[in-house]
């Protein structure tokens, strides 16, 4: 078994995508190409079973030695979302000021970020749990082990995003927790072992986003021998 062959969790009863109202009956290439990053979500609630379904999809991603080093925190209560948004905004304000941005720009960017977090009916915080990773005596292999775990976390998030799109939902992948992990841990009372890595906003699109063009595949393949 390779390092990225995950042992899948047992199946639990989940909604059949084709029977979910508003689902997108698409094949895999259409789902991959159709998925988009949405900044404005309606406040309509998301059924708990749909949240479970996207997390179940995430749990099937490949991971180092099948360890599944991802942990999820699901936030749906408005007050908890507001607390997190406010705490992260304080940290981000400091970073933007360090970058030399003027107060008007800082206020505008912070307002947009806080709106995204508070309007989304569901926030999914994705954390890294390195507890079960292999331990090596040399820093090179230990660094590689950590990189493998972060790569697998990205695969888990991608599974989540694709399943959400299939179910008629939309998402936004925000990396803000990477820049203030201690703040996120403190406000959510998380154990020190968990490393906040990303926030995914989940809900129903309020408006279609403008999509950025993709580079031609010929530019991405640097060698084919």
């Amino acid at each position: 078994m390779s390092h990225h062959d995950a042992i899948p969790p047992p199946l639990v009863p989940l909604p059949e995508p084709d029977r979910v109202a508003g689902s997108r009956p698409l094949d895999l290439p259409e789902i991959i190409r159709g998925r988009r990053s949405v900044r404005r979500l309606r406040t309509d609630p998301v059924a708990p079973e749909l949240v479970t379904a996207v997390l179940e999809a995430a749990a099937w991603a490949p991971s180092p030695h099948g360890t599944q080093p991802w942990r999820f925190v699901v936030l749906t209560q408005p007050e908890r979302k507001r607390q997190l948004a406010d705490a992260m905004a304080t940290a981000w304000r400091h970073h933007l000021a360090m970058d030399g941005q003027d107060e008007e720009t800082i206020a505008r960017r912070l307002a947009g970020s806080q709106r995204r977090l508070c309007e989304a009916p569901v926030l999914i915080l994705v954390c890294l749990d390195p507890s079960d990773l292999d331990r090596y005596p040399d820093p090179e292999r230990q660094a590689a082990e950590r990189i493998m775990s972060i790569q697998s976390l990205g695969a888990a998030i991608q599974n989540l995003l694709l399943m959400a799109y299939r179910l008629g939902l939309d998402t936004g992948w925000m990396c803000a927790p990477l820049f203030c992990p201690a703040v996120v841990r403190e406000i959510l009372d998380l154990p020190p072992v968990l490393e906040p890595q990303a926030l995914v906003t989940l809900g129903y699109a309020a408006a279609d986003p403008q999509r950025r063009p993709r580079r031609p595949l010929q530019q991405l393949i640097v060698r084919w021998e």
Side-chain angles (χ1 to χ4, degrees), residues 73-75 80-81 84-85 88 113 116-118 120 122-127 153 157 160-161 171-178 180 184 188 196-202:
V73 178
V74 180
L75 300 178
R80 293 297 277 157
K81 291 186 292 180
L84 178 62
M88 292 176 63
S113 177
R116 287 182 69 184
L117 295 179
C118 293
V122 181
L123 297 181
I124 299 175
L125 175 69
V126 186
C127 298
L153 185 142
I157 294 175
L160 185 159
L161 302 181
T171 52
W173 182 346
M174 304 175 68
C175 295
L178 282 173
C180 54
V184 175
L188 296 180
Q197 297 280 319
L199 265 173
V200 177
T201 56
L202 179 71

PDB file of all heavy atoms in Angstrom, residues 73-75 80-81 84-85 88 113 116-118 120 122-127 153 157 160-161 171-178 180 184 188 196-202:
ATOM      1  N   VAL A  73     -14.377  21.065  11.978  1.00  0.00           N
ATOM      2  CA  VAL A  73     -15.231  21.787  12.915  1.00  0.00           C
ATOM      3  C   VAL A  73     -16.331  22.436  12.090  1.00  0.00           C
ATOM      4  O   VAL A  73     -16.044  23.206  11.163  1.00  0.00           O
ATOM      5  CB  VAL A  73     -14.442  22.858  13.691  1.00  0.00           C
ATOM      6  CG1 VAL A  73     -15.371  23.631  14.625  1.00  0.00           C
ATOM      7  CG2 VAL A  73     -13.294  22.222  14.472  1.00  0.00           C
ATOM      8  N   VAL A  74     -17.575  22.133  12.412  1.00  0.00           N
ATOM      9  CA  VAL A  74     -18.720  22.661  11.661  1.00  0.00           C
ATOM     10  C   VAL A  74     -19.399  23.736  12.493  1.00  0.00           C
ATOM     11  O   VAL A  74     -19.796  23.501  13.642  1.00  0.00           O
ATOM     12  CB  VAL A  74     -19.725  21.536  11.321  1.00  0.00           C
ATOM     13  CG1 VAL A  74     -20.903  22.101  10.537  1.00  0.00           C
ATOM     14  CG2 VAL A  74     -19.034  20.432  10.519  1.00  0.00           C
ATOM     15  N   LEU A  75     -19.526  24.928  11.909  1.00  0.00           N
ATOM     16  CA  LEU A  75     -20.162  26.046  12.588  1.00  0.00           C
ATOM     17  C   LEU A  75     -21.417  26.464  11.813  1.00  0.00           C
ATOM     18  O   LEU A  75     -21.343  26.757  10.625  1.00  0.00           O
ATOM     19  CB  LEU A  75     -19.213  27.237  12.686  1.00  0.00           C
ATOM     20  CG  LEU A  75     -17.902  27.021  13.442  1.00  0.00           C
ATOM     21  CD1 LEU A  75     -17.069  28.290  13.402  1.00  0.00           C
ATOM     22  CD2 LEU A  75     -18.161  26.589  14.880  1.00  0.00           C
ATOM     23  N   ARG A  80     -21.463  32.056  16.921  1.00  0.00           N
ATOM     24  CA  ARG A  80     -20.141  31.423  16.842  1.00  0.00           C
ATOM     25  C   ARG A  80     -19.421  31.859  15.572  1.00  0.00           C
ATOM     26  O   ARG A  80     -18.199  32.106  15.581  1.00  0.00           O
ATOM     27  CB  ARG A  80     -20.275  29.901  16.886  1.00  0.00           C
ATOM     28  CG  ARG A  80     -20.767  29.385  18.199  1.00  0.00           C
ATOM     29  CD  ARG A  80     -19.790  29.713  19.313  1.00  0.00           C
ATOM     30  NE  ARG A  80     -18.702  28.742  19.378  1.00  0.00           N
ATOM     31  CZ  ARG A  80     -17.502  29.001  19.920  1.00  0.00           C
ATOM     32  NH1 ARG A  80     -17.234  30.196  20.385  1.00  0.00           N
ATOM     33  NH2 ARG A  80     -16.589  28.058  19.968  1.00  0.00           N
ATOM     34  N   LYS A  81     -20.159  31.969  14.477  1.00  0.00           N
ATOM     35  CA  LYS A  81     -19.546  32.454  13.231  1.00  0.00           C
ATOM     36  C   LYS A  81     -19.065  33.887  13.393  1.00  0.00           C
ATOM     37  O   LYS A  81     -17.970  34.245  12.929  1.00  0.00           O
ATOM     38  CB  LYS A  81     -20.537  32.327  12.075  1.00  0.00           C
ATOM     39  CG  LYS A  81     -20.839  30.885  11.669  1.00  0.00           C
ATOM     40  CD  LYS A  81     -21.719  30.832  10.429  1.00  0.00           C
ATOM     41  CE  LYS A  81     -23.110  31.333  10.689  1.00  0.00           C
ATOM     42  NZ  LYS A  81     -23.976  31.274   9.493  1.00  0.00           N
ATOM     43  N   LEU A  84     -15.843  34.037  15.490  1.00  0.00           N
ATOM     44  CA  LEU A  84     -14.675  33.635  14.714  1.00  0.00           C
ATOM     45  C   LEU A  84     -14.292  34.730  13.729  1.00  0.00           C
ATOM     46  O   LEU A  84     -13.107  35.072  13.586  1.00  0.00           O
ATOM     47  CB  LEU A  84     -14.961  32.326  13.974  1.00  0.00           C
ATOM     48  CG  LEU A  84     -13.827  31.804  13.078  1.00  0.00           C
ATOM     49  CD1 LEU A  84     -12.578  31.504  13.897  1.00  0.00           C
ATOM     50  CD2 LEU A  84     -14.272  30.560  12.318  1.00  0.00           C
ATOM     51  N   ALA A  85     -15.273  35.290  13.035  1.00  0.00           N
ATOM     52  CA  ALA A  85     -14.994  36.340  12.058  1.00  0.00           C
ATOM     53  C   ALA A  85     -14.348  37.549  12.717  1.00  0.00           C
ATOM     54  O   ALA A  85     -13.385  38.127  12.190  1.00  0.00           O
ATOM     55  CB  ALA A  85     -16.286  36.744  11.350  1.00  0.00           C
ATOM     56  N   MET A  88     -10.652  36.712  13.812  1.00  0.00           N
ATOM     57  CA  MET A  88      -9.753  36.646  12.669  1.00  0.00           C
ATOM     58  C   MET A  88      -9.555  38.029  12.058  1.00  0.00           C
ATOM     59  O   MET A  88      -8.463  38.350  11.567  1.00  0.00           O
ATOM     60  CB  MET A  88     -10.302  35.663  11.635  1.00  0.00           C
ATOM     61  CG  MET A  88     -10.283  34.224  12.103  1.00  0.00           C
ATOM     62  SD  MET A  88     -11.032  33.076  10.925  1.00  0.00           S
ATOM     63  CE  MET A  88      -9.964  33.247   9.527  1.00  0.00           C
ATOM     64  N   SER A 113     -14.565  40.194   4.108  1.00  0.00           N
ATOM     65  CA  SER A 113     -14.229  38.896   4.675  1.00  0.00           C
ATOM     66  C   SER A 113     -15.208  38.495   5.765  1.00  0.00           C
ATOM     67  O   SER A 113     -15.681  37.351   5.810  1.00  0.00           O
ATOM     68  CB  SER A 113     -12.804  38.927   5.228  1.00  0.00           C
ATOM     69  OG  SER A 113     -12.478  37.706   5.846  1.00  0.00           O
ATOM     70  N   ARG A 116     -18.535  37.401   4.302  1.00  0.00           N
ATOM     71  CA  ARG A 116     -18.491  36.043   3.749  1.00  0.00           C
ATOM     72  C   ARG A 116     -18.679  34.996   4.843  1.00  0.00           C
ATOM     73  O   ARG A 116     -19.422  34.019   4.674  1.00  0.00           O
ATOM     74  CB  ARG A 116     -17.156  35.790   3.049  1.00  0.00           C
ATOM     75  CG  ARG A 116     -16.978  36.492   1.729  1.00  0.00           C
ATOM     76  CD  ARG A 116     -15.634  36.137   1.107  1.00  0.00           C
ATOM     77  NE  ARG A 116     -15.598  34.739   0.668  1.00  0.00           N
ATOM     78  CZ  ARG A 116     -14.517  34.153   0.172  1.00  0.00           C
ATOM     79  NH1 ARG A 116     -13.380  34.838   0.060  1.00  0.00           N
ATOM     80  NH2 ARG A 116     -14.567  32.898  -0.230  1.00  0.00           N
ATOM     81  N   LEU A 117     -18.013  35.196   5.977  1.00  0.00           N
ATOM     82  CA  LEU A 117     -18.070  34.209   7.046  1.00  0.00           C
ATOM     83  C   LEU A 117     -19.425  34.207   7.745  1.00  0.00           C
ATOM     84  O   LEU A 117     -19.946  33.154   8.109  1.00  0.00           O
ATOM     85  CB  LEU A 117     -16.968  34.478   8.062  1.00  0.00           C
ATOM     86  CG  LEU A 117     -15.529  34.323   7.555  1.00  0.00           C
ATOM     87  CD1 LEU A 117     -14.538  34.634   8.662  1.00  0.00           C
ATOM     88  CD2 LEU A 117     -15.293  32.917   7.020  1.00  0.00           C
ATOM     89  N   CYS A 118     -20.006  35.392   7.920  1.00  0.00           N
ATOM     90  CA  CYS A 118     -21.255  35.480   8.683  1.00  0.00           C
ATOM     91  C   CYS A 118     -22.478  35.147   7.835  1.00  0.00           C
ATOM     92  O   CYS A 118     -23.475  34.632   8.355  1.00  0.00           O
ATOM     93  CB  CYS A 118     -21.385  36.866   9.298  1.00  0.00           C
ATOM     94  SG  CYS A 118     -20.155  37.216  10.571  1.00  0.00           S
ATOM     95  N   ALA A 120     -22.540  32.982   5.264  1.00  0.00           N
ATOM     96  CA  ALA A 120     -22.558  31.555   4.901  1.00  0.00           C
ATOM     97  C   ALA A 120     -23.325  30.771   5.959  1.00  0.00           C
ATOM     98  O   ALA A 120     -23.035  30.900   7.155  1.00  0.00           O
ATOM     99  CB  ALA A 120     -21.136  31.026   4.781  1.00  0.00           C
ATOM    100  N   VAL A 122     -23.112  27.685   6.629  1.00  0.00           N
ATOM    101  CA  VAL A 122     -22.233  26.683   7.237  1.00  0.00           C
ATOM    102  C   VAL A 122     -20.777  27.080   6.996  1.00  0.00           C
ATOM    103  O   VAL A 122     -20.393  27.435   5.883  1.00  0.00           O
ATOM    104  CB  VAL A 122     -22.475  25.271   6.652  1.00  0.00           C
ATOM    105  CG1 VAL A 122     -21.555  24.246   7.327  1.00  0.00           C
ATOM    106  CG2 VAL A 122     -23.937  24.864   6.807  1.00  0.00           C
ATOM    107  N   LEU A 123     -19.989  27.019   8.065  1.00  0.00           N
ATOM    108  CA  LEU A 123     -18.537  27.146   7.952  1.00  0.00           C
ATOM    109  C   LEU A 123     -17.922  25.813   8.364  1.00  0.00           C
ATOM    110  O   LEU A 123     -18.295  25.245   9.404  1.00  0.00           O
ATOM    111  CB  LEU A 123     -18.002  28.248   8.871  1.00  0.00           C
ATOM    112  CG  LEU A 123     -18.452  29.685   8.613  1.00  0.00           C
ATOM    113  CD1 LEU A 123     -17.797  30.617   9.627  1.00  0.00           C
ATOM    114  CD2 LEU A 123     -18.095  30.102   7.192  1.00  0.00           C
ATOM    115  N   ILE A 124     -17.000  25.334   7.554  1.00  0.00           N
ATOM    116  CA  ILE A 124     -16.283  24.107   7.896  1.00  0.00           C
ATOM    117  C   ILE A 124     -14.813  24.464   8.054  1.00  0.00           C
ATOM    118  O   ILE A 124     -14.147  24.835   7.083  1.00  0.00           O
ATOM    119  CB  ILE A 124     -16.470  23.027   6.824  1.00  0.00           C
ATOM    120  CG1 ILE A 124     -17.948  22.656   6.680  1.00  0.00           C
ATOM    121  CG2 ILE A 124     -15.647  21.777   7.175  1.00  0.00           C
ATOM    122  CD1 ILE A 124     -18.238  21.683   5.547  1.00  0.00           C
ATOM    123  N   LEU A 125     -14.328  24.381   9.276  1.00  0.00           N
ATOM    124  CA  LEU A 125     -12.902  24.589   9.546  1.00  0.00           C
ATOM    125  C   LEU A 125     -12.192  23.254   9.372  1.00  0.00           C
ATOM    126  O   LEU A 125     -12.574  22.255   9.998  1.00  0.00           O
ATOM    127  CB  LEU A 125     -12.703  25.119  10.960  1.00  0.00           C
ATOM    128  CG  LEU A 125     -11.249  25.255  11.413  1.00  0.00           C
ATOM    129  CD1 LEU A 125     -10.542  26.378  10.649  1.00  0.00           C
ATOM    130  CD2 LEU A 125     -11.179  25.493  12.924  1.00  0.00           C
ATOM    131  N   VAL A 126     -11.186  23.235   8.521  1.00  0.00           N
ATOM    132  CA  VAL A 126     -10.419  22.012   8.272  1.00  0.00           C
ATOM    133  C   VAL A 126      -9.091  22.145   9.005  1.00  0.00           C
ATOM    134  O   VAL A 126      -8.336  23.106   8.793  1.00  0.00           O
ATOM    135  CB  VAL A 126     -10.180  21.793   6.771  1.00  0.00           C
ATOM    136  CG1 VAL A 126      -9.501  20.448   6.540  1.00  0.00           C
ATOM    137  CG2 VAL A 126     -11.501  21.859   6.001  1.00  0.00           C
ATOM    138  N   CYS A 127      -8.824  21.204   9.886  1.00  0.00           N
ATOM    139  CA  CYS A 127      -7.605  21.217  10.692  1.00  0.00           C
ATOM    140  C   CYS A 127      -6.742  20.006  10.366  1.00  0.00           C
ATOM    141  O   CYS A 127      -7.249  18.949   9.973  1.00  0.00           O
ATOM    142  CB  CYS A 127      -7.934  21.195  12.180  1.00  0.00           C
ATOM    143  SG  CYS A 127      -8.879  22.611  12.766  1.00  0.00           S
ATOM    144  N   LEU A 153      -4.625  16.744   2.943  1.00  0.00           N
ATOM    145  CA  LEU A 153      -5.682  17.643   3.403  1.00  0.00           C
ATOM    146  C   LEU A 153      -6.297  18.392   2.230  1.00  0.00           C
ATOM    147  O   LEU A 153      -7.513  18.576   2.156  1.00  0.00           O
ATOM    148  CB  LEU A 153      -5.104  18.605   4.446  1.00  0.00           C
ATOM    149  CG  LEU A 153      -6.081  19.554   5.134  1.00  0.00           C
ATOM    150  CD1 LEU A 153      -5.713  19.722   6.602  1.00  0.00           C
ATOM    151  CD2 LEU A 153      -6.073  20.918   4.453  1.00  0.00           C
ATOM    152  N   ILE A 157     -10.231  18.366   0.977  1.00  0.00           N
ATOM    153  CA  ILE A 157     -11.032  19.554   0.697  1.00  0.00           C
ATOM    154  C   ILE A 157     -11.598  19.496  -0.721  1.00  0.00           C
ATOM    155  O   ILE A 157     -12.760  19.851  -0.951  1.00  0.00           O
ATOM    156  CB  ILE A 157     -10.188  20.830   0.903  1.00  0.00           C
ATOM    157  CG1 ILE A 157      -9.822  20.990   2.377  1.00  0.00           C
ATOM    158  CG2 ILE A 157     -10.945  22.063   0.412  1.00  0.00           C
ATOM    159  CD1 ILE A 157      -8.897  22.155   2.665  1.00  0.00           C
ATOM    160  N   LEU A 160     -14.563  17.372  -0.817  1.00  0.00           N
ATOM    161  CA  LEU A 160     -15.673  18.092  -0.190  1.00  0.00           C
ATOM    162  C   LEU A 160     -16.297  19.080  -1.176  1.00  0.00           C
ATOM    163  O   LEU A 160     -17.521  19.133  -1.318  1.00  0.00           O
ATOM    164  CB  LEU A 160     -15.140  18.806   1.051  1.00  0.00           C
ATOM    165  CG  LEU A 160     -16.083  19.544   1.990  1.00  0.00           C
ATOM    166  CD1 LEU A 160     -15.421  19.698   3.356  1.00  0.00           C
ATOM    167  CD2 LEU A 160     -16.499  20.906   1.464  1.00  0.00           C
ATOM    168  N   LEU A 161     -15.448  19.842  -1.872  1.00  0.00           N
ATOM    169  CA  LEU A 161     -15.947  20.847  -2.805  1.00  0.00           C
ATOM    170  C   LEU A 161     -16.730  20.205  -3.945  1.00  0.00           C
ATOM    171  O   LEU A 161     -17.782  20.721  -4.356  1.00  0.00           O
ATOM    172  CB  LEU A 161     -14.783  21.658  -3.381  1.00  0.00           C
ATOM    173  CG  LEU A 161     -13.866  22.405  -2.403  1.00  0.00           C
ATOM    174  CD1 LEU A 161     -12.791  23.164  -3.170  1.00  0.00           C
ATOM    175  CD2 LEU A 161     -14.656  23.337  -1.515  1.00  0.00           C
ATOM    176  N   THR A 171     -19.429  26.569  -2.679  1.00  0.00           N
ATOM    177  CA  THR A 171     -18.423  26.671  -1.635  1.00  0.00           C
ATOM    178  C   THR A 171     -17.426  27.782  -1.940  1.00  0.00           C
ATOM    179  O   THR A 171     -17.310  28.250  -3.074  1.00  0.00           O
ATOM    180  CB  THR A 171     -17.631  25.343  -1.527  1.00  0.00           C
ATOM    181  OG1 THR A 171     -17.140  24.986  -2.834  1.00  0.00           O
ATOM    182  CG2 THR A 171     -18.490  24.217  -0.984  1.00  0.00           C
ATOM    183  N   GLY A 172     -16.693  28.162  -0.904  1.00  0.00           N
ATOM    184  CA  GLY A 172     -15.541  29.037  -1.048  1.00  0.00           C
ATOM    185  C   GLY A 172     -14.443  28.521  -0.138  1.00  0.00           C
ATOM    186  O   GLY A 172     -14.704  28.195   1.029  1.00  0.00           O
ATOM    187  N   TRP A 173     -13.234  28.418  -0.658  1.00  0.00           N
ATOM    188  CA  TRP A 173     -12.094  27.893   0.100  1.00  0.00           C
ATOM    189  C   TRP A 173     -11.271  29.084   0.559  1.00  0.00           C
ATOM    190  O   TRP A 173     -10.690  29.808  -0.241  1.00  0.00           O
ATOM    191  CB  TRP A 173     -11.293  26.961  -0.789  1.00  0.00           C
ATOM    192  CG  TRP A 173     -10.096  26.300  -0.144  1.00  0.00           C
ATOM    193  CD1 TRP A 173      -9.497  26.614   1.032  1.00  0.00           C
ATOM    194  CD2 TRP A 173      -9.357  25.191  -0.680  1.00  0.00           C
ATOM    195  NE1 TRP A 173      -8.426  25.787   1.274  1.00  0.00           N
ATOM    196  CE2 TRP A 173      -8.326  24.899   0.230  1.00  0.00           C
ATOM    197  CE3 TRP A 173      -9.462  24.439  -1.842  1.00  0.00           C
ATOM    198  CZ2 TRP A 173      -7.392  23.883   0.016  1.00  0.00           C
ATOM    199  CZ3 TRP A 173      -8.543  23.427  -2.056  1.00  0.00           C
ATOM    200  CH2 TRP A 173      -7.523  23.141  -1.148  1.00  0.00           C
ATOM    201  N   MET A 174     -11.215  29.306   1.873  1.00  0.00           N
ATOM    202  CA  MET A 174     -10.489  30.433   2.445  1.00  0.00           C
ATOM    203  C   MET A 174      -9.310  29.908   3.282  1.00  0.00           C
ATOM    204  O   MET A 174      -9.483  29.014   4.105  1.00  0.00           O
ATOM    205  CB  MET A 174     -11.417  31.282   3.319  1.00  0.00           C
ATOM    206  CG  MET A 174     -12.653  31.778   2.583  1.00  0.00           C
ATOM    207  SD  MET A 174     -13.820  32.655   3.670  1.00  0.00           S
ATOM    208  CE  MET A 174     -12.884  34.126   4.052  1.00  0.00           C
ATOM    209  N   CYS A 175      -8.142  30.483   3.072  1.00  0.00           N
ATOM    210  CA  CYS A 175      -6.929  30.031   3.767  1.00  0.00           C
ATOM    211  C   CYS A 175      -6.577  30.906   4.959  1.00  0.00           C
ATOM    212  O   CYS A 175      -5.495  30.765   5.538  1.00  0.00           O
ATOM    213  CB  CYS A 175      -5.756  29.999   2.793  1.00  0.00           C
ATOM    214  SG  CYS A 175      -5.956  28.786   1.473  1.00  0.00           S
ATOM    215  N   ALA A 176      -7.473  31.799   5.364  1.00  0.00           N
ATOM    216  CA  ALA A 176      -7.186  32.740   6.445  1.00  0.00           C
ATOM    217  C   ALA A 176      -6.699  32.075   7.738  1.00  0.00           C
ATOM    218  O   ALA A 176      -5.827  32.640   8.419  1.00  0.00           O
ATOM    219  CB  ALA A 176      -8.416  33.598   6.722  1.00  0.00           C
ATOM    220  N   PRO A 177      -7.211  30.895   8.139  1.00  0.00           N
ATOM    221  CA  PRO A 177      -6.734  30.296   9.392  1.00  0.00           C
ATOM    222  C   PRO A 177      -5.234  30.020   9.418  1.00  0.00           C
ATOM    223  O   PRO A 177      -4.642  29.959  10.504  1.00  0.00           O
ATOM    224  CB  PRO A 177      -7.535  28.986   9.483  1.00  0.00           C
ATOM    225  CG  PRO A 177      -8.783  29.269   8.728  1.00  0.00           C
ATOM    226  CD  PRO A 177      -8.354  30.130   7.581  1.00  0.00           C
ATOM    227  N   LEU A 178      -4.618  29.854   8.256  1.00  0.00           N
ATOM    228  CA  LEU A 178      -3.170  29.627   8.215  1.00  0.00           C
ATOM    229  C   LEU A 178      -2.401  30.794   8.817  1.00  0.00           C
ATOM    230  O   LEU A 178      -1.287  30.613   9.328  1.00  0.00           O
ATOM    231  CB  LEU A 178      -2.710  29.412   6.768  1.00  0.00           C
ATOM    232  CG  LEU A 178      -2.954  28.050   6.144  1.00  0.00           C
ATOM    233  CD1 LEU A 178      -2.590  28.090   4.658  1.00  0.00           C
ATOM    234  CD2 LEU A 178      -2.128  26.982   6.853  1.00  0.00           C
ATOM    235  N   CYS A 180      -3.489  32.878  11.264  1.00  0.00           N
ATOM    236  CA  CYS A 180      -3.773  33.154  12.679  1.00  0.00           C
ATOM    237  C   CYS A 180      -4.270  31.885  13.374  1.00  0.00           C
ATOM    238  O   CYS A 180      -5.352  31.886  13.968  1.00  0.00           O
ATOM    239  CB  CYS A 180      -4.784  34.287  12.823  1.00  0.00           C
ATOM    240  SG  CYS A 180      -6.330  34.053  11.895  1.00  0.00           S
ATOM    241  N   VAL A 184      -7.625  31.159  16.030  1.00  0.00           N
ATOM    242  CA  VAL A 184      -8.737  30.253  15.709  1.00  0.00           C
ATOM    243  C   VAL A 184      -8.879  29.190  16.788  1.00  0.00           C
ATOM    244  O   VAL A 184      -9.999  28.888  17.237  1.00  0.00           O
ATOM    245  CB  VAL A 184      -8.512  29.607  14.327  1.00  0.00           C
ATOM    246  CG1 VAL A 184      -9.597  28.574  14.039  1.00  0.00           C
ATOM    247  CG2 VAL A 184      -8.492  30.671  13.232  1.00  0.00           C
ATOM    248  N   LEU A 188     -12.291  28.996  19.305  1.00  0.00           N
ATOM    249  CA  LEU A 188     -13.116  27.789  19.184  1.00  0.00           C
ATOM    250  C   LEU A 188     -12.798  26.746  20.245  1.00  0.00           C
ATOM    251  O   LEU A 188     -13.375  25.654  20.231  1.00  0.00           O
ATOM    252  CB  LEU A 188     -12.953  27.179  17.784  1.00  0.00           C
ATOM    253  CG  LEU A 188     -13.433  28.051  16.620  1.00  0.00           C
ATOM    254  CD1 LEU A 188     -13.213  27.332  15.291  1.00  0.00           C
ATOM    255  CD2 LEU A 188     -14.898  28.433  16.789  1.00  0.00           C
ATOM    256  N   PRO A 196      -5.292  24.607  12.552  1.00  0.00           N
ATOM    257  CA  PRO A 196      -6.251  25.155  11.579  1.00  0.00           C
ATOM    258  C   PRO A 196      -5.559  25.469  10.258  1.00  0.00           C
ATOM    259  O   PRO A 196      -4.538  26.139  10.223  1.00  0.00           O
ATOM    260  CB  PRO A 196      -6.759  26.422  12.269  1.00  0.00           C
ATOM    261  CG  PRO A 196      -6.561  26.168  13.730  1.00  0.00           C
ATOM    262  CD  PRO A 196      -5.293  25.374  13.808  1.00  0.00           C
ATOM    263  N   GLN A 197      -6.153  24.976   9.163  1.00  0.00           N
ATOM    264  CA  GLN A 197      -5.540  25.115   7.842  1.00  0.00           C
ATOM    265  C   GLN A 197      -6.419  25.874   6.850  1.00  0.00           C
ATOM    266  O   GLN A 197      -5.912  26.586   5.997  1.00  0.00           O
ATOM    267  CB  GLN A 197      -5.235  23.726   7.260  1.00  0.00           C
ATOM    268  CG  GLN A 197      -4.232  22.924   8.054  1.00  0.00           C
ATOM    269  CD  GLN A 197      -2.810  23.330   7.784  1.00  0.00           C
ATOM    270  OE1 GLN A 197      -2.433  23.578   6.650  1.00  0.00           O
ATOM    271  NE2 GLN A 197      -2.015  23.409   8.828  1.00  0.00           N
ATOM    272  N   ALA A 198      -7.729  25.706   6.919  1.00  0.00           N
ATOM    273  CA  ALA A 198      -8.599  26.301   5.906  1.00  0.00           C
ATOM    274  C   ALA A 198     -10.017  26.422   6.441  1.00  0.00           C
ATOM    275  O   ALA A 198     -10.419  25.690   7.361  1.00  0.00           O
ATOM    276  CB  ALA A 198      -8.599  25.449   4.644  1.00  0.00           C
ATOM    277  N   LEU A 199     -10.744  27.358   5.861  1.00  0.00           N
ATOM    278  CA  LEU A 199     -12.173  27.501   6.121  1.00  0.00           C
ATOM    279  C   LEU A 199     -12.914  27.328   4.802  1.00  0.00           C
ATOM    280  O   LEU A 199     -12.537  27.931   3.792  1.00  0.00           O
ATOM    281  CB  LEU A 199     -12.499  28.881   6.681  1.00  0.00           C
ATOM    282  CG  LEU A 199     -12.593  29.048   8.198  1.00  0.00           C
ATOM    283  CD1 LEU A 199     -12.751  30.518   8.537  1.00  0.00           C
ATOM    284  CD2 LEU A 199     -13.725  28.235   8.786  1.00  0.00           C
ATOM    285  N   VAL A 200     -13.956  26.517   4.814  1.00  0.00           N
ATOM    286  CA  VAL A 200     -14.797  26.345   3.636  1.00  0.00           C
ATOM    287  C   VAL A 200     -16.182  26.897   3.965  1.00  0.00           C
ATOM    288  O   VAL A 200     -16.816  26.462   4.931  1.00  0.00           O
ATOM    289  CB  VAL A 200     -14.902  24.870   3.220  1.00  0.00           C
ATOM    290  CG1 VAL A 200     -15.852  24.716   2.032  1.00  0.00           C
ATOM    291  CG2 VAL A 200     -13.529  24.310   2.865  1.00  0.00           C
ATOM    292  N   THR A 201     -16.621  27.877   3.185  1.00  0.00           N
ATOM    293  CA  THR A 201     -17.989  28.368   3.311  1.00  0.00           C
ATOM    294  C   THR A 201     -18.888  27.471   2.459  1.00  0.00           C
ATOM    295  O   THR A 201     -18.545  27.129   1.334  1.00  0.00           O
ATOM    296  CB  THR A 201     -18.095  29.824   2.848  1.00  0.00           C
ATOM    297  OG1 THR A 201     -17.604  29.932   1.501  1.00  0.00           O
ATOM    298  CG2 THR A 201     -17.277  30.735   3.751  1.00  0.00           C
ATOM    299  N   LEU A 202     -20.032  27.101   3.001  1.00  0.00           N
ATOM    300  CA  LEU A 202     -20.922  26.142   2.342  1.00  0.00           C
ATOM    301  C   LEU A 202     -22.346  26.668   2.360  1.00  0.00           C
ATOM    302  O   LEU A 202     -22.850  27.084   3.409  1.00  0.00           O
ATOM    303  CB  LEU A 202     -20.851  24.792   3.060  1.00  0.00           C
ATOM    304  CG  LEU A 202     -21.736  23.663   2.537  1.00  0.00           C
ATOM    305  CD1 LEU A 202     -21.233  23.162   1.187  1.00  0.00           C
ATOM    306  CD2 LEU A 202     -21.774  22.507   3.540  1.00  0.00           C
TER     307      LEU A 202
END
